[in-house]
């Protein structure tokens, strides 16, 4: 399960991409810079959803750029608009439908792609065209070819000289220059009862390992200082190809999470960078990755979507691991690396959840001491098999349980954050303002975790922090989410 959030799209120092970041309701219109002096059709782009969808958007924008299309910074300036949708939960569906409606009202020519494009209603009808019949075309996620075919149909390819407008090796990126997402696979082999992702994104398809490592190297060479590894199930990387042996710079390397982590760690060390692992299921072989986190390049950070702790609830969820094993594994990992940060998401009020099962979850959280935690009150998702389970929990109870989880987590997080006061930490600078700089530590993934507020030094002649720079700071204060620090 992925937390719903609008993708932040920030200005890139290389001018590969810029954006108008919209308010809470309006989507962000992505604006990669066009080739100087080239007149070409213009495409507007709205990107919604999780980092995996963001990577899909980057791939489409890269192909548009490669074919000579320009992009527009307003609906009025676009010849057509592409909307990349999210469709995981009801709020995401509504946000996507609203974004499509706005694009139609403001521009009139709209192509839709993404997860919502793969969803049908209870009658088997396409959700998007039922609500917005005037869209030009609809595709599902990771459908670059299909999107481009629709673009070609409604906005013919421009006359383009690729030697005059080369796309960077990294492609067009929608993140700041100093960090980027690296998607290693598509789809998922699990059939969790609350989730419809496999019906939209399909079964697991792992990218060839040489292709993943080449993209990682290109990003590091382009100045990326933090690489965020994403997928639907990072721990399962290579399962679909039976951990096929590949080659990277003449060396054999298996299509396997542990060997990928080792190769990325080595690459990050060469470039003085970080690698952060997301969507890691707690399979036994993850134990082999923890020791690789000792030198600070493969970060001691795991994003593990646990969803619950009680074995019976996990069974109803059709999750691949039990609560007891998760707790044992977490405790063992922390013995191997005391600096390990664990982020997770949980669902409160899943159908059939009893008072005893919920109290079991709270006891688990007290013992596991999860560093970063998000909790959702269970929300029925059309097409999910969990909707058919007996004994649904009333909405008011679901919300009350979610609130209790978050109240407990506030206490846990505050205690763990305050334990960092007085420590010296290496942080990566994201923003520099007049009075303070905003940075992140190894415990902080962009946009979903906390930040480190660094007081700007007013000492004459002392260099100010620079975006994308690593600096050492001393932690002076903490709350349940953020840290405050001074330069060491």
């Amino acid at each position: 399960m992925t937390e719903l959030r609008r993708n932040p799209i920030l200005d890139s120092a290389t001018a590969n991409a810029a954006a108008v970041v919209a308010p809470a309701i309006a989507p962000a219109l992505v604006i990669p810079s066009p080739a100087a002096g080239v007149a070409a059709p213009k495409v507007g782009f709205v990107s919604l959803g999780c980092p995996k969808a963001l990577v899909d958007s980057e791939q489409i924008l890269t192909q548009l750029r490669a074919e000579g299309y320009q992009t527009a910074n307003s609906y009025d300036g676009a010849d057509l608009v592409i909307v990349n949708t999210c469709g995981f939960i009801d709020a995401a569906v509504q946000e996507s439908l609203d974004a499509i409606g706005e694009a139609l009202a403001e521009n009139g020519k709209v192509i839709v792609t993404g997860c919502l494009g793969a969803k049908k209603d209870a009658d088997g009808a396409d959700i998007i065209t039922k609500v917005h019949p005037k869209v030009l075309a609809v595709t599902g996620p990771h459908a670059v070819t299909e999107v481009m075919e629709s673009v070609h149909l409604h906005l013919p390819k421009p006359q383009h000289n690729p030697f005059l407008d080369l796309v960077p090796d990294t492609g067009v990126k929608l993140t700041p220059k100093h960090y980027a997402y690296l998607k290693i696979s598509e789809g998922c082999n699990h059939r969790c009862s609350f989730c419809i992702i496999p019906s939209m994104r399909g079964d697991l398809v792992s990218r060839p390992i040489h292709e993943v490592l080449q993209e990682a190297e290109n990003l590091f060479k382009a100045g990326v200082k933090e690489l965020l590894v994403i997928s639907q199930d990072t721990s399962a990387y290579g399962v679909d190809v039976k951990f096929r042996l590949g080659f990277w710079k003449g060396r054999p390397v298996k299509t396997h999470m542990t060997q990928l982590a080792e190769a990325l760690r080595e690459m990050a060390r060469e470039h003085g960078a970080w690698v952060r692992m997301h969507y890691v299921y707690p399979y036994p072989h993850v134990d082999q990755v923890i020791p690789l986190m000792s030198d600070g390049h493969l970060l001691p950070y795991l994003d593990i979507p646990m969803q619950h702790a009680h074995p019976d609830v996990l069974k109803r969820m059709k999750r691949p691991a039990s609560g007891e094993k998760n707790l044992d594994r977490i405790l063992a990992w922390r013995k191997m690396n005391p600096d390990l940060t664990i982020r997770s998401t949980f669902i409160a009020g899943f159908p059939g959840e009893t008072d005893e099962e919920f109290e079991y979850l709270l006891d688990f959280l007290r013992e596991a001491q999860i560093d970063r935690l998000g909790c959702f009150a269970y929300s029925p998702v059309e097409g999910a098999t969990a909707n058919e389970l007996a004994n649904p929990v009333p909405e008011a109870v679901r919300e009350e349980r979610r609130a209790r989880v978050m109240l407990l987590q506030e206490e846990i997080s505050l205690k763990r954050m305050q334990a960092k006061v007085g420590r010296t930490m290496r942080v990566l600078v994201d923003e520099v303002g007049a009075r303070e700089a905003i940075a992140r530590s190894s415990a902080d993934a962009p946009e979903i975790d906390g930040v480190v507020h660094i007081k700007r030094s007013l000492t004459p002649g002392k260099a100010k922090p620079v975006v994308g720079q690593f600096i050492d700071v001393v932690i002076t204060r903490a709350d349940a989410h953020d840290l405050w620090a001074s330069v060491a």
Side-chain angles (χ1 to χ4, degrees):
M1 184 170 181
T2 304
E3 294 178 61
L4 175 67
R5 64 184 181 90
R6 187 180 308 283
N7 279 325
I9 304 170
L10 307 177
D11 290 336
S12 168
T14 57
N16 283 344
V20 175
V21 180
I25 297 177
L29 206 60
V30 178
I31 323 159
S33 59
V38 178
K42 291 186 177 182
V43 179
F45 206 105
V46 178
S47 186
L48 304 170
C50 66
K52 293 176 286 295
L54 184 71
V55 173
D56 288 350
S57 296
E58 291 174 339
Q59 291 171 348
I60 295 168
L61 283 164
T62 296
Q63 188 60 38
L64 286 167
R65 181 76 171 272
E67 294 186 10
Y69 290 94
Q70 294 184 13
T71 49
N73 61 1
S74 68
Y75 290 117
D76 290 343
D79 295 298
L80 64 77
V81 176
I82 299 172
V83 180
N84 189 4
T85 60
C86 179
F88 186 46
I89 60 177
D90 290 346
V93 171
Q94 190 58 54
E95 181 183 36
S96 294
L97 291 173
D98 289 346
I100 295 166
E102 179 179 304
L104 282 168
E106 296 291 334
N107 181 275
K109 297 180 68 175
V110 178
I111 292 171
V112 180
T113 187
C115 287
L116 185 57
K119 285 191 72 171
K120 307 293 182 183
D121 64 15
D123 299 323
D126 181 85
I127 290 176
I128 293 171
T129 54
K130 189 173 182 179
V131 177
H132 297 299
K134 293 184 178 181
V135 296
L136 301 177
V138 176
T139 78
H142 55 90
V144 178
T145 300
E146 292 87 344
V147 170
M148 293 308 300
E149 287 174 351
S150 297
V151 171
H152 297 156
L153 180 63
H154 298 283
L155 195 61
K157 293 173 70 171
Q159 296 295 318
H160 174 55
N161 184 344
F163 295 102
L164 299 179
D165 185 19
L166 295 176
V167 175
D169 290 338
T170 58
V172 174
K173 292 296 173 186
L174 302 180
T175 50
K177 183 182 178 182
H178 63 284
Y179 71 81
Y181 293 101
L182 179 69
K183 185 157 62 171
I184 63 172
S185 64
E186 272 294 352
C188 182
N189 286 343
H190 300 303
R191 294 297 182 266
C192 301
S193 60
F194 57 82
C195 182
I196 58 172
I197 291 295
S199 68
M200 295 187 288
R201 288 188 171 262
D203 290 336
L204 176 70
V205 178
S206 299
R207 293 177 62 192
I209 193 160
H210 72 274
E211 182 181 299
V212 172
L213 293 176
Q214 183 62 63
E215 181 177 349
E217 183 175 69
N218 290 343
L219 289 166
F220 283 133
K221 286 182 176 179
V224 165
K225 291 301 180 183
E226 180 178 356
L227 204 58
L228 299 107
V229 177
I230 60 171
S231 66
Q232 295 298 144
D233 182 356
T234 295
S235 303
Y237 178 62
V239 166
D240 55 314
V241 293
K242 299 180 180 179
F243 308 117
R244 178 186 298 146
L245 186 67
F247 290 88
W248 170 247
K249 294 188 174 180
R251 295 182 304 169
V253 55
K254 284 186 177 180
T255 311
H256 191 281
M257 177 194 177
T258 56
Q259 295 202 15
L260 174 64
E262 192 168 1
L264 290 175
R265 174 209 189 196
E266 182 179 328
M267 202 181 294
R269 188 191 300 121
E270 292 173 2
H271 292 274
W274 285 353
V275 172
R276 190 184 300 273
M277 308 290 282
H278 285 274
Y279 312 110
V280 176
Y281 280 70
Y283 303 149
H285 65 258
V286 178
D287 298 354
Q288 302 167 36
V289 176
I290 306 301
L292 300 176
M293 298 175 170
S294 59
D295 67 358
H297 292 290
L298 181 67
L299 293 179
Y301 178 104
L302 289 177
D303 174 8
I304 306 171
M306 296 181 197
Q307 310 303 4
H308 211 279
H310 195 285
D312 292 343
V313 178
L314 290 168
K315 185 176 180 180
R316 293 197 295 275
M317 289 180 169
K318 297 186 178 179
R319 297 295 284 171
S322 71
E324 295 98 331
K325 290 181 181 178
N326 286 349
L327 182 57
D328 292 344
R329 190 152 284 127
I330 288 170
L331 298 177
W333 289 344
R334 287 211 168 112
K335 284 184 179 179
M336 286 188 259
N337 192 327
D339 291 328
L340 179 67
T341 294
I342 295 176
R343 148 165 275 283
S344 191
T345 51
F346 290 83
I347 299 174
F350 190 76
E353 183 187 62
T354 64
D355 290 339
E356 290 77 16
E357 290 169 343
F358 177 69
E359 291 296 336
Y360 186 101
L361 170 61
L362 295 180
D363 288 340
F364 171 89
L365 296 178
R366 292 186 185 101
E367 193 163 357
Q369 296 284 295
I370 303 297
D371 299 89
R372 307 291 199 187
L373 185 147
C375 183
F376 299 85
Y378 174 74
S379 174
V381 177
E382 190 168 346
T385 58
N387 300 340
E388 303 166 10
L389 293 173
N391 304 315
V393 178
E395 183 177 1
V397 177
R398 284 182 259 153
E399 289 294 341
E400 184 266 341
R401 289 178 179 176
R402 183 201 65 80
R404 287 181 63 190
V405 168
M406 295 312 298
L407 187 62
L408 172 61
Q409 180 58 29
E410 191 87 1
E411 298 174 8
I412 293 170
S413 181
L414 180 60
K415 181 180 177 181
R416 294 188 71 80
M417 293 288 278
Q418 289 182 335
K420 299 178 181 182
V421 174
R423 291 181 56 185
T424 299
M425 291 184 175
R426 173 144 288 202
V427 298
L428 179 61
V429 179
D430 282 340
E431 302 173 31
V432 177
R435 295 182 177 273
E436 70 171 11
I438 304 296
R440 291 178 293 104
S441 71
S442 64
D444 307 308
E447 299 298 323
I448 58 173
D449 294 325
V451 298
V452 182
H453 301 267
I454 306 169
K455 184 178 180 181
R456 283 281 307 278
S457 173
L458 300 178
T459 305
K462 191 164 185 179
K464 70 176 183 179
V466 176
V467 171
Q469 173 189 31
F470 289 107
I471 60 174
D472 293 328
V473 298
V474 178
I475 306 303
T476 57
R477 184 163 67 91
D479 64 16
H481 307 285
D482 297 338
L483 298 172
W484 282 258
S486 58
V487 178

